[in-house]
Amino acid sequence: MPIAIINDTCIHYRTEGDRSLPALVFSNSLGTDLSMWQEQADALAGRNFLVRYDTRGHGLSASPPGPYSIDQLGTDVVALLDHLDIEKAHFCGISMGGVTGLWLGVHAPKRLNRLILANTAARVGTADGWRTRAAAVRAQGLGAIADSAASRWFTPEFVQHQPAVADAMANKLRGQNYEGYAACCDALASADLRAEIHAITAPTLIVAGAADPVTTVADAEALRSAIPGALVAALPASHISNVEAPAQFTRQLLEFLA
Ligand SMILES: O=C(O)CC1=CCC(=O)O1
């Protein structure tokens, strides 16, 4: 279980594949952990040096008291690259992980090769919405958020046909650290990169879920028009598109990184 002490915080990560291959970093969404990328890791470990990590406040990484900020989530990645002696990497982040990717595109362009931004936006939801959620989680824990997770993350058809996958992810959320989750809601409350993302120079692929109610296809189009040269692919999925449409997601990754 590799742990790096990064910005005074224990960050859990996992590497796979040959170090001589181009590095590819995966960043998880709110309430999940690095295991969400298993399908992509299985497909890509022969082609890339994979680095998966648990965003602070998630999985086996530490959950120091919040609020966190998007600058912190982004500088954690830069420090993890330093720790692993990686000069430049591809970066694939989903939802909150995608916001981290946008931050890296703006603030750490020299550390990036290609950028894959899935189910994300330069401004996800509203500051009030995230502050209300953070307060509710600090007061009541993660039970209610976990109970409703499947409906935010997946289409009803997916939940019906793959109940074990949806339940396993919701149960994992139930077991997360509530302060870490709330502190990441604080980070999303204050993250608004809309005025900055035009400066991104990394070749960028935006992956949308055609049925995503959280970060919509319109959000993906807004990213595409702001980021020079960005491409968009819409998959038949809701918010956690790499789990709901794993084969299509992986194909997009492979084609974009080829
Ligand atoms: O609300 C959710 O659970 C979905 C989500 C929003 C940001 C993120 O990373 O996940």
Side-chain angles (χ1 to χ4, degrees), residues 92-105:
C92 174
I94 187 163
S95 197
M96 174 179 71
V99 185
T100 303
L102 289 166
W103 186 95
L104 290 166

Side-chain angles (χ1 to χ4, degrees), residues 1-13 79-80 83-84:
M1 190 179 81
I3 294 278
I5 313 281
I6 280 174
N7 299 327
D8 294 325
T9 301
C10 290
I11 298 293
H12 171 236
Y13 67 93
L80 182 59
H83 175 81
L84 293 169

